[in-house]
Amino acid sequence: MFYNLELKFTLKNGIICGVHGPIPACGRQGLEVRTKNLYNRIMICYVYILKSDRDKGFYIGITKNFESRLYQHNRGYNKSTKGRAPFVIAHLEQYKNYADARKREKQLKSHGQIRERLLRDINFYGPIV
């Protein structure tokens, strides 16, 4: 059964934090599931490459909150980058949803040719300042 609902979303800093409108016969739980799916579809995600000032190596990652994630890397809260801080932003890409960002992250981590070309460009042009 398809419901034609007029729902209003409450946004706080661009994030859905509430839904207002009629509740369908399937109940609030079904509405919450659909809201979560919508939330995941429109959540902005970032794929990033960090360059270590210590060992000049690179780290490829994905996050929904880039500023917080960079802080965690530089403070040593991430196990895989703990001894390599401080980091500078070498490359940053923005995606409309997590699925697309995850696909790009996997591409960068697994396809040597694509990764090597991007890292070569970063080394040539320098990191983002």
Side-chain angles (χ1 to χ4, degrees), residues 72-125:
Q72 291 172 358
H73 282 296
N74 282 325
R75 293 289 182 211
Y77 298 149
N78 186 328
K79 185 178 178 181
S80 62
T81 60
K82 189 171 187 173
R84 301 172 57 197
F87 288 93
V88 293
I89 307 164
H91 184 73
L92 184 64
E93 298 175 357
Q94 183 178 354
Y95 292 88
K96 290 181 181 177
N97 58 51
Y98 186 83
D100 290 344
R102 180 73 177 128
K103 191 184 304 183
R104 176 62 170 161
E105 182 198 28
K106 284 180 121 180
Q107 181 186 44
L108 289 174
K109 286 185 173 181
S110 64
H111 291 84
Q113 215 173 28
I114 295 170
R115 182 181 62 240
E116 292 305 317
R117 186 176 337 137
L118 183 58
L119 296 179
R120 186 177 58 239
D121 289 347
I122 290 169
N123 278 328
F124 181 77
Y125 294 110

Side-chain angles (χ1 to χ4, degrees), residues 5 7-11 15-20 22-24 27-43:
L5 302 175
L7 299 177
K8 295 181 182 178
F9 295 95
T10 303
L11 299 175
I15 298 173
I16 297 173
C17 61
V19 180
H20 311 284
I23 304 300
R28 183 166 290 283
Q29 183 178 5
L31 180 63
E32 289 172 1
V33 170
R34 285 194 299 277
T35 304
K36 286 181 183 176
N37 291 338
L38 176 64
Y39 172 79
N40 287 332
R41 283 194 299 251
I42 63 170
M43 183 67 180

